[in-house]
Amino acid sequence: VIGSHDILVAVIDTGIDYTHPDLIANYVPLGYDFVNMDDDPLDDHGHGTHCAGIIAAKLNNYIGVAGLAQVRIMAEKGLDSTGSGSFSSLAKSIIHATNSGANILSNSWGGDYDSRLLSEAIDYATAKGVLVFAAAGNHDPNEQFNPNYPAFYDSVVAVSSIESSNKLSSFSNYGSYIDVAAPGSSIYSTM
């Protein structure tokens, strides 16, 4: 079963290479670049494009890979060319995506510290009926029990990473706040 084009997923990350031949058919230009403060959320790192491909790379076009959901995607650039960003730019991305009509927010990033600003942005999105997913975190083995934000918030679906053998990926956080595990090691995509 594939997803519906009625669903809009905001990839809140380093942007998306929306010119990629495997993404262009499912991309909608509704996002914003909160790093450079312009309306061009083009990916200058690669992580956002990788995540976008897992979600919505075109099916049956004989190019690259096929995305799992086949939904529409939009880019909210809250992370810079090094893959880093502030909770402020990420909170703005969450609010902008929500106001732009996103049904789902994909957040494959996180941090070790709670942020009232980030928490309030997540609360805003969920109050509007938006489903929010976030990565459990990629910490060293001695810190895998530590919470990762925004995944640690109760209203967020926290996703840990598993290998092809269904075992926890060596880098993935885990703990009682995890809601679901998904393949996350050696995943091919649009990068």
Side-chain angles (χ1 to χ4, degrees), residues 1-2 9 12 17 25 27 35 44 50 61 75 78 81-82 108 110 114 127 149 153 155 164 166 182 184 186-187:
V1 176
I2 62 171
V9 176
I12 299 173
D17 178 2
Y27 180 80
V35 173
D44 54 5
H50 181 84
N61 63 352
S81 62
T82 68
S108 186
D114 190 3
Y149 296 91
Y153 298 133
S155 59
S164 60
N166 286 333
S186 302
I187 302 296

Side-chain angles (χ1 to χ4, degrees), residues 8-31:
L8 176 61
V9 176
V11 178
I12 299 173
D13 210 290
T14 60
I16 294 177
D17 178 2
Y18 47 77
T19 67
H20 192 291
D22 231 3
L23 297 174
I24 197 166
N26 291 328
Y27 180 80
V28 292
L30 296 172

